[in-house]
Amino acid sequence: MTSLEATNANSQWVLTLSCIDGPGIVHAISGAIVAAGGNIAESQQFASADTGRFFMRLQVEAVAQPDTFDARFASALAPVTERYHMTWRLDRAGRPVRTLLLASTATHCVNDLLYRQRGGQLSIEVPLVLSNHEAVRDIAEFYNVPFEHRAIAGKEDKAAFEARVLEVVEEQNIELVVLARYMQILSPELCEALAGKAINIHHSFLPGFKGANPYKQAHQRGVKLIGATAHFVTSDLDEGPIIEQDTVRVDHSYSVRELTLLGQDIESRALRNAVKWFAENRVLADGERTIIFR
Amino acid sequence: MTSLEATNANSQWVLTLSCIDGPGIVHAISGAIVAAGGNIAESQQFASADTGRFFMRLQVEAVAQPDTFDARFASALAPVTERYHMTWRLDRAGRPVRTLLLASTATHCVNDLLYRQRGGQLSIEVPLVLSNHEAVRDIAEFYNVPFEHRAIAGKEDKAAFEARVLEVVEEQNIELVVLARYMQILSPELCEALAGKAINIHHSFLPGFKGANPYKQAHQRGVKLIGATAHFVTSDLDEGPIIEQDTVRVDHSYSVRELTLLGQDIESRALRNAVKWFAENRVLADGERTIIFR
Amino acid sequence: MTSLEATNANSQWVLTLSCIDGPGIVHAISGAIVAAGGNIAESQQFASADTGRFFMRLQVEAVAQPDTFDARFASALAPVTERYHMTWRLDRAGRPVRTLLLASTATHCVNDLLYRQRGGQLSIEVPLVLSNHEAVRDIAEFYNVPFEHRAIAGKEDKAAFEARVLEVVEEQNIELVVLARYMQILSPELCEALAGKAINIHHSFLPGFKGANPYKQAHQRGVKLIGATAHFVTSDLDEGPIIEQDTVRVDHSYSVRELTLLGQDIESRALRNAVKWFAENRVLADGERTIIFR
Amino acid sequence: MTSLEATNANSQWVLTLSCIDGPGIVHAISGAIVAAGGNIAESQQFASADTGRFFMRLQVEAVAQPDTFDARFASALAPVTERYHMTWRLDRAGRPVRTLLLASTATHCVNDLLYRQRGGQLSIEVPLVLSNHEAVRDIAEFYNVPFEHRAIAGKEDKAAFEARVLEVVEEQNIELVVLARYMQILSPELCEALAGKAINIHHSFLPGFKGANPYKQAHQRGVKLIGATAHFVTSDLDEGPIIEQDTVRVDHSYSVRELTLLGQDIESRALRNAVKWFAENRVLADGERTIIFR
């Protein structure tokens, strides 16, 4: 579990890293932290038997002189990250991640994310909601988030919409694109451009019921639980690395419409968790799988 | 929910029925109950929008003269079931259902079913456990259930095993065949012969991860929940009507072996529930789907 | 499970009833339905071993002449309800229940209820949100629901607030009062006046952690799950009949603030379910317990 | 999650420790590991805001010369544990913990624990099942575990039973005493003697429904979920530090007997998890609360 509280003081940093597994890594990293005058507030690690890689997430507080901790820490880390050929990232804990929301006709995910963003439960800031429908306009406006509508009637519209996405990502320094029930398939080019920073919510328990109308498929198959899956977007539809999943019990009496309504709750929850963990640097990629340091 | 208690008196009957939906069915059925001197202890019904059929399960107690209630009820029902062209079944509540268990190397499902059968929690009696491995022999013997081992080394063995299954079904008046992690694919002929009375437990949340090694598939795909599915056996592998499903949360750190061990718990639970409901006449078929009157 | 869809045609009625258990009740009721030209769309029943009473909920559609079904049904029912000394209620399915929301500083429950009311998922209409704080004003206004603020600084304010509640109940024909994290203890007189039609959400798994600061209590006790309870309000604090409960897993690392934030999700869910079921006439009282016909 | 697999090689050690929180602890510990020629396979830590203490669990594998790692590690650790005034424990990973089971009439918990012990899922060895009833005798014998029956008819019997417990603990080097639905209240003296190494399973979601007949209490209160709690035994009845809890959904139709049967499943699961984590040195005490390093 994680704490926004701990970051209130704005004197904590998050270090995430991965490298080939081997002895001495933790000692080297913790040595850099001691050298920089830091204290470990939170630490999680995982050695992947699948890829042979070591992953770590550290939350570090500056014991003294927080203003210059940044520089001290970076310089203490440099020889360590170099020696172990680490992929790493240092971020300030609690820094809001710049997030673009894409939406269509369903309102529940956008509503859930913006409600929680306002309440300080999600470490994101949302410069824009971009949608091919008007459905979430009033919600965005209520939460003081700019809303932009671009209808998609054909191929050209879709290309224009995607161009606009890339433009916003560029202009607004977007770090995370959330497909909050955005019901268009992204082009391979856009998937490529957003690799590792676009999260989609699919309304089924993947890999079951890929593609369109998953609740209709679920009804026909007569499943006894329905699910939702938040995953990174890749060009392989509904096949990207899974970040979070949830299920809820149903029975024979649920119509497709009732499954759809009930499913909204788990969709909102799964997506919200995925966004929260991403924004807190808790999601690391390990090949086709994700490591979630909760 | 269901009650074994209510059946302690041995004076309750279970009536299950289905017919084309329409007005007056409940009144006609309840009229037959009144006429026979019965009282409704439990009643559930469902009108399927998919098939247009009406389904009902009634648990009826004899108010007076329980010894002859059977005959009175049957004769009072006859004109009703005829008028509505009903498919129906009248059974004594709590009557143990004659059940054949098929097993292979995994012991958890057999152990769970026999433990609960002995404790009076499952309304079944088990004249035989038939297995292509010796793994569950001592468990069967501990629970005083005959055990028979028939190795399957090739096609002929498999045919002989299946012939033995049919023989036991015939000789022992078997009403339910439970594939308690029996790891052989049944021939289409056997599936056909056991249609509607064979239940399998598949170690995934169907329709995800059909076929072999579902936990390995689940690990590779990086799912955040694993599942188990109890379903009727059909010749279409892992596609039979679903009776019960369950899931449990996992994370990136679970190895295939750990998924397998954790999954045993939900496999046992899902299978146990399916067997319990079947034995209590709570499972009705509605096309490719099941209605569960819990 | 239940269906708002079925009620779209506005030609369905809900009949709920209870009486001393005995033979013939279902037959008598179904006879009245047949006589009135109705068809049973949904039916649930329960015989309480604790109180010896029989409970039933029927959803009935008018097969012909829906405009006059009401009167026909009422007159066909009269001799039956009289003979069995029934407590009963006949309502139009899907009719929005007039609901007053009481709130204080927490916004999540009000937000959840109004969001779902707007989406057609809750069969309620809300003529007023009355609060002793301003926190939910903008949310109410966004959903076009009148908001009224009355500060409570002392005893007199509280009495005035309660008087206003009763006034609104009277003037607005309120059928349900929802304490959506309204953090004041109601006077015994108000509890009495609202008996059976006021629902509170308590932020613990009752009967654990009654009273104030349940999340703090939960943290101190080191529980591994936290819960929420929606219950009818009675003058015995946190002791009213329970309608719905839910729990969620936590661990040692959760601070009180984190428990509080996480708990909001289950509070919203438990309260939403309780309100939904109440509005659909699915909640019946059986002494100190509730029967929920889902 | 944790892995018994990793310990198959018998070359892993588990180090658990706690001390007053402060900078440099991880670096000092990891330095001792490097110095001893070890590699960190698993690591978890927690800083308690309640008590100001730091807790850590490390699973360490010997990179070279595993036969003498023990001694090297101990001597490298000594100055560190001394400097930080650590409470610590070094154990071989996967070493079976010597466990005494106490039982009465219920069989499900004993059956579950012994089934899993035999299957290699629990790192325990059980030299004795001691019971005041005969109910679990045949189960113990089936699993080749010595069984001893001592009836408790009065105060003297109870004192003798408790004396026998202490004797077994002494003679058999018992590290863990599991009250597997042992339905006698332990004397304060025995609680004291077994402090920190006796685990009880209580059949309710504590702190709700303490004391006798919790399912009866749950039924009367009309709760919508029932629960089970595994906790350390203290002389304050049902108040010891909680290790694990679980809940399952019920409804109005469940009788006390049905609640009892359903509850057995979550009792078995909660107790099994608590025993597993204890045996793997994953349970640390933090005042009245437990830290579980799963």
Side-chain angles (χ1 to χ4, degrees):
Chain A
M1 230 321 274
T2 167
S3 165
L4 286 176
E5 290 161 280
T7 70
N8 284 348
N10 276 329
S11 60
Q12 294 210 355
W13 281 259
V14 177
L15 174 66
T16 49
L17 61 89
S18 81
C19 61
I20 294 169
D21 196 16
I25 301 171
V26 173
H27 190 57
I29 289 288
S30 58
I33 292 167
V34 169
N39 186 28
I40 300 173
E42 216 181 295
S43 171
Q44 287 142 304
Q45 59 183 78
F46 175 64
S48 169
D50 296 304
T51 59
R53 289 187 74 79
F54 174 84
F55 298 85
M56 195 168 198
R57 179 189 187 278
L58 290 142
Q59 205 152 319
V60 179
E61 60 189 343
V63 176
Q65 295 171 287
D67 291 349
T68 55
F69 177 77
D70 224 350
R72 292 198 312 276
F73 194 18
S75 92
L77 272 176
V80 178
T81 57
E82 196 169 328
R83 187 185 347 145
Y84 290 96
H85 305 283
M86 286 175 177
T87 303
W88 63 286
R89 175 187 168 91
L90 184 59
D91 202 354
R92 196 171 269 266
R95 182 185 64 80
V97 165
R98 292 187 64 77
T99 303
L100 168 64
L101 302 189
L102 304 186
S104 292
T105 55
T107 62
H108 55 286
C109 285
V110 169
N111 186 60
D112 187 87
L113 292 171
L114 294 183
Y115 173 77
R116 282 162 210 280
Q117 190 274 334
R118 179 170 85 156
Q121 296 176 50
L122 286 179
S123 190
I124 59 171
E125 56 191 10
V126 183
L128 186 66
V129 176
L130 183 59
S131 177
N132 61 330
H133 290 273
E134 291 280 1
V136 301
R137 177 188 289 277
D138 63 354
I139 292 171
E141 287 172 352
F142 174 69
Y143 288 106
N144 296 313
V145 171
F147 174 85
E148 186 176 315
H149 173 240
R150 292 198 167 227
I152 299 182
K155 276 190 182 174
E156 280 178 33
D157 290 342
K158 196 169 157 182
F161 192 99
E162 294 203 345
R164 179 60 180 142
V165 169
L166 288 174
E167 191 178 66
V168 173
V169 167
E170 179 71 20
E171 287 175 359
Q172 296 285 349
N173 300 312
I174 295 298
E175 301 165 279
L176 171 63
V177 177
V178 178
L179 283 67
R181 295 296 307 271
Y182 173 67
M183 301 306 284
Q184 298 281 323
I185 296 171
L186 300 194
S187 69
E189 294 71 31
L190 188 59
C191 292
E192 182 68 24
L194 301 178
K197 63 180 179 186
I199 296 177
N200 181 49
I201 180 72
H202 184 75
H203 37 321
S204 86
F205 186 75
L206 290 173
F209 310 130
K210 294 180 203 171
N213 285 326
Y215 290 123
K216 193 174 168 194
Q217 295 181 58
H219 178 80
Q220 285 171 342
R221 187 64 184 86
V223 290
K224 302 302 184 186
L225 299 164
I226 56 168
T229 304
H231 63 94
F232 279 118
V233 174
T234 63
S235 57
D236 204 354
L237 187 66
D238 299 334
E239 288 285 0
I242 293 169
I243 301 169
E244 169 68 334
Q245 298 187 291
D246 216 336
T247 54
V248 66
R249 190 161 280 273
V250 297
D251 65 37
H252 59 269
S253 72
Y254 284 66
S255 67
V256 174
R257 182 172 132 81
E258 288 165 337
L259 295 178
T260 304
L261 288 177
L262 187 67
Q264 292 180 358
D265 196 37
I266 47 174
E267 292 167 31
S268 299
R269 196 154 71 229
L271 182 59
R272 164 211 317 162
N273 282 338
V275 168
K276 175 176 162 61
W277 299 333
F278 183 94
E280 293 173 6
N281 290 300
R282 297 180 181 279
V283 183
L284 280 75
D286 179 29
E288 300 297 299
R289 310 169 75 239
T290 63
I291 293 158
I292 312 290
F293 285 135
R294 291 204 281 171
Chain B
M1 230 322 276
T2 166
S3 164
L4 287 176
E5 288 160 283
T7 71
N8 284 346
N10 276 327
S11 60
Q12 294 210 354
W13 280 259
V14 177
L15 174 66
T16 49
L17 60 90
S18 82
C19 61
I20 294 168
D21 196 14
I25 301 171
V26 173
H27 191 55
I29 289 288
S30 58
I33 292 167
V34 168
N39 186 30
I40 300 173
E42 218 182 293
S43 170
Q44 288 142 304
Q45 60 182 78
F46 175 63
S48 169
D50 297 304
T51 59
R53 289 187 74 79
F54 175 83
F55 298 84
M56 194 168 201
R57 180 189 186 278
L58 290 142
Q59 205 152 317
V60 179
E61 60 189 342
V63 175
Q65 296 169 288
D67 290 349
T68 55
F69 178 76
D70 224 349
R72 292 198 312 277
F73 194 19
S75 92
L77 272 176
V80 178
T81 58
E82 198 170 328
R83 187 185 348 145
Y84 290 96
H85 303 285
M86 287 175 177
T87 302
W88 62 286
R89 175 189 168 89
L90 185 60
D91 202 355
R92 197 172 266 268
R95 182 184 65 79
V97 165
R98 292 187 66 75
T99 303
L100 168 65
L101 302 188
L102 304 186
S104 292
T105 55
T107 62
H108 55 286
C109 286
V110 169
N111 187 60
D112 187 88
L113 291 172
L114 294 184
Y115 174 77
R116 282 163 210 278
Q117 190 273 334
R118 180 171 85 155
Q121 297 176 50
L122 286 179
S123 191
I124 59 172
E125 56 192 10
V126 183
L128 186 67
V129 176
L130 182 59
S131 176
N132 62 329
H133 289 273
E134 291 280 1
V136 300
R137 177 187 289 277
D138 63 354
I139 291 171
E141 288 172 352
F142 175 67
Y143 288 106
N144 296 314
V145 172
F147 174 84
E148 186 177 315
H149 172 241
R150 292 198 167 229
I152 298 181
K155 276 190 183 174
E156 281 176 32
D157 291 342
K158 196 170 158 183
F161 192 100
E162 295 204 344
R164 180 61 181 142
V165 168
L166 287 174
E167 192 177 63
V168 173
V169 166
E170 178 71 20
E171 287 174 358
Q172 298 285 348
N173 299 312
I174 295 299
E175 301 166 278
L176 172 62
V177 177
V178 177
L179 283 67
R181 294 296 307 274
Y182 174 66
M183 302 306 284
Q184 298 281 321
I185 296 171
L186 301 194
S187 69
E189 293 72 31
L190 189 58
C191 292
E192 181 67 25
L194 301 179
K197 62 180 180 188
I199 296 176
N200 181 49
I201 180 71
H202 184 74
H203 37 317
S204 87
F205 186 75
L206 290 174
F209 310 131
K210 293 180 204 171
N213 286 326
Y215 291 123
K216 192 175 168 193
Q217 294 181 58
H219 177 81
Q220 285 172 343
R221 187 65 184 85
V223 290
K224 301 302 184 185
L225 299 164
I226 55 168
T229 304
H231 63 93
F232 280 118
V233 174
T234 63
S235 57
D236 205 353
L237 189 64
D238 300 335
E239 287 285 0
I242 293 169
I243 301 168
E244 170 67 336
Q245 298 187 289
D246 215 335
T247 54
V248 65
R249 189 160 281 272
V250 297
D251 66 36
H252 59 269
S253 72
Y254 284 66
S255 66
V256 174
R257 181 173 134 81
E258 288 166 337
L259 294 178
T260 303
L261 288 176
L262 186 67
Q264 292 180 358
D265 197 36
I266 45 172
E267 292 167 30
S268 300
R269 197 156 67 230
L271 183 58
R272 166 208 318 162
N273 283 339
V275 169
K276 177 176 162 56
W277 299 332
F278 183 94
E280 294 173 5
N281 290 300
R282 297 179 182 281
V283 182
L284 280 74
D286 180 28
E288 301 295 300
R289 309 169 76 240
T290 63
I291 293 157
I292 312 290
F293 285 135
R294 289 206 281 171
Chain C
M1 229 322 274
T2 167
S3 165
L4 285 175
E5 289 161 281
T7 71
N8 284 347
N10 276 330
S11 60
Q12 294 209 355
W13 281 259
V14 177
L15 174 66
T16 49
L17 61 90
S18 82
C19 61
I20 294 169
D21 196 13
I25 301 171
V26 173
H27 190 56
I29 289 288
S30 58
I33 292 168
V34 168
N39 186 29
I40 300 174
E42 217 182 293
S43 170
Q44 287 142 305
Q45 59 182 79
F46 175 64
S48 170
D50 296 304
T51 59
R53 290 187 73 79
F54 174 84
F55 298 85
M56 195 168 197
R57 180 190 187 276
L58 289 142
Q59 205 152 317
V60 179
E61 60 189 344
V63 175
Q65 296 170 286
D67 291 349
T68 55
F69 178 77
D70 225 349
R72 292 199 311 276
F73 194 19
S75 92
L77 272 177
V80 178
T81 57
E82 197 169 328
R83 185 183 350 146
Y84 290 96
H85 304 284
M86 287 175 177
T87 303
W88 63 285
R89 176 187 167 90
L90 185 60
D91 202 355
R92 197 171 267 267
R95 182 185 64 80
V97 165
R98 292 187 65 77
T99 303
L100 168 64
L101 301 189
L102 304 186
S104 291
T105 55
T107 61
H108 55 286
C109 286
V110 169
N111 186 60
D112 187 87
L113 292 171
L114 293 183
Y115 173 76
R116 283 163 210 278
Q117 190 274 335
R118 179 170 85 155
Q121 297 175 51
L122 286 179
S123 191
I124 59 172
E125 55 192 10
V126 183
L128 186 66
V129 176
L130 182 59
S131 177
N132 62 330
H133 289 273
E134 290 279 4
V136 301
R137 177 188 289 276
D138 62 354
I139 291 170
E141 288 172 352
F142 175 67
Y143 288 107
N144 296 313
V145 172
F147 173 86
E148 184 176 316
H149 172 241
R150 292 195 167 231
I152 298 181
K155 276 189 184 176
E156 280 177 35
D157 291 342
K158 196 170 157 182
F161 193 99
E162 294 203 346
R164 179 61 180 140
V165 169
L166 288 174
E167 191 178 66
V168 173
V169 167
E170 179 71 21
E171 287 175 357
Q172 297 284 349
N173 300 312
I174 295 299
E175 302 165 279
L176 171 64
V177 177
V178 177
L179 283 67
R181 295 296 307 271
Y182 173 67
M183 301 307 284
Q184 298 282 322
I185 296 171
L186 301 194
S187 69
E189 294 71 31
L190 189 57
C191 292
E192 181 68 25
L194 301 179
K197 63 180 181 188
I199 296 177
N200 181 48
I201 180 72
H202 184 75
H203 38 319
S204 87
F205 185 76
L206 290 174
F209 310 130
K210 293 180 204 171
N213 286 327
Y215 290 123
K216 193 175 168 193
Q217 294 181 58
H219 177 81
Q220 285 171 343
R221 186 64 183 87
V223 290
K224 302 302 184 186
L225 299 164
I226 55 168
T229 304
H231 63 94
F232 280 117
V233 174
T234 64
S235 57
D236 204 353
L237 188 65
D238 299 335
E239 288 285 359
I242 293 169
I243 301 170
E244 169 68 336
Q245 298 187 291
D246 216 336
T247 54
V248 65
R249 189 160 280 272
V250 298
D251 65 37
H252 58 270
S253 72
Y254 284 66
S255 66
V256 174
R257 181 173 135 80
E258 288 165 338
L259 295 178
T260 304
L261 287 176
L262 187 67
Q264 292 180 358
D265 196 36
I266 47 174
E267 292 167 29
S268 300
R269 198 155 67 230
L271 182 59
R272 165 209 318 162
N273 283 338
V275 169
K276 175 176 163 59
W277 298 333
F278 183 94
E280 294 172 6
N281 290 300
R282 297 178 181 281
V283 182
L284 281 75
D286 179 30
E288 300 296 300
R289 310 168 76 239
T290 63
I291 293 158
I292 311 290
F293 285 135
R294 289 205 282 172
Chain D
M1 232 317 276
T2 165
S3 165
L4 287 176
E5 290 161 280
T7 71
N8 284 346
N10 277 328
S11 60
Q12 294 210 354
W13 281 259
V14 177
L15 174 66
T16 49
L17 60 91
S18 82
C19 61
I20 294 168
D21 196 15
I25 300 170
V26 173
H27 191 56
I29 289 288
S30 58
I33 293 167
V34 167
N39 186 30
I40 300 173
E42 219 181 291
S43 171
Q44 288 141 305
Q45 60 183 76
F46 175 64
S48 170
D50 296 304
T51 59
R53 290 187 75 78
F54 174 84
F55 298 85
M56 193 168 200
R57 180 189 186 277
L58 289 143
Q59 204 152 319
V60 179
E61 62 189 342
V63 176
Q65 295 171 288
D67 291 348
T68 54
F69 178 76
D70 225 350
R72 292 198 311 276
F73 194 18
S75 92
L77 272 176
V80 178
T81 57
E82 198 168 327
R83 189 187 344 147
Y84 290 96
H85 304 285
M86 285 175 178
T87 303
W88 62 286
R89 176 189 167 90
L90 185 60
D91 202 354
R92 195 171 270 266
R95 181 185 65 78
V97 165
R98 292 187 66 76
T99 304
L100 168 65
L101 302 189
L102 304 186
S104 292
T105 56
T107 62
H108 55 285
C109 286
V110 169
N111 186 60
D112 187 88
L113 292 172
L114 293 184
Y115 173 77
R116 282 163 210 278
Q117 190 273 335
R118 179 171 85 156
Q121 296 175 51
L122 286 179
S123 192
I124 58 172
E125 56 192 9
V126 183
L128 187 66
V129 176
L130 183 59
S131 176
N132 61 330
H133 289 273
E134 290 281 1
V136 300
R137 178 188 289 276
D138 63 353
I139 292 171
E141 288 172 352
F142 175 67
Y143 287 107
N144 296 312
V145 172
F147 174 83
E148 187 177 315
H149 172 242
R150 293 198 167 228
I152 299 181
K155 276 190 183 173
E156 281 177 33
D157 291 342
K158 196 169 159 183
F161 192 100
E162 295 203 345
R164 179 61 181 142
V165 169
L166 287 173
E167 192 178 65
V168 173
V169 167
E170 178 72 20
E171 287 175 359
Q172 296 285 350
N173 300 311
I174 295 299
E175 301 166 278
L176 171 63
V177 178
V178 178
L179 283 67
R181 294 296 307 272
Y182 173 66
M183 301 306 284
Q184 299 281 322
I185 295 171
L186 301 193
S187 69
E189 294 71 31
L190 189 58
C191 292
E192 181 67 25
L194 302 179
K197 61 179 179 188
I199 297 176
N200 181 49
I201 180 71
H202 184 74
H203 37 316
S204 87
F205 185 76
L206 291 174
F209 311 130
K210 292 181 204 171
N213 286 326
Y215 290 123
K216 193 176 168 193
Q217 294 182 57
H219 177 80
Q220 284 170 344
R221 187 64 184 85
V223 290
K224 301 301 185 187
L225 299 164
I226 55 169
T229 304
H231 63 94
F232 279 117
V233 174
T234 62
S235 56
D236 205 353
L237 188 66
D238 300 334
E239 287 285 0
I242 292 170
I243 302 169
E244 170 68 337
Q245 298 186 291
D246 216 335
T247 54
V248 65
R249 188 160 282 272
V250 296
D251 65 38
H252 59 270
S253 73
Y254 284 66
S255 65
V256 174
R257 182 174 134 80
E258 288 165 337
L259 294 178
T260 304
L261 288 176
L262 187 67
Q264 292 181 357
D265 196 37
I266 47 174
E267 292 168 30
S268 299
R269 197 155 68 230
L271 182 59
R272 165 209 318 162
N273 283 339
V275 169
K276 176 177 162 58
W277 298 334
F278 183 94
E280 294 173 5
N281 290 300
R282 297 180 181 280
V283 182
L284 280 74
D286 180 29
E288 301 296 299
R289 308 168 77 240
T290 64
I291 293 158
I292 312 290
F293 285 136
R294 290 205 283 172

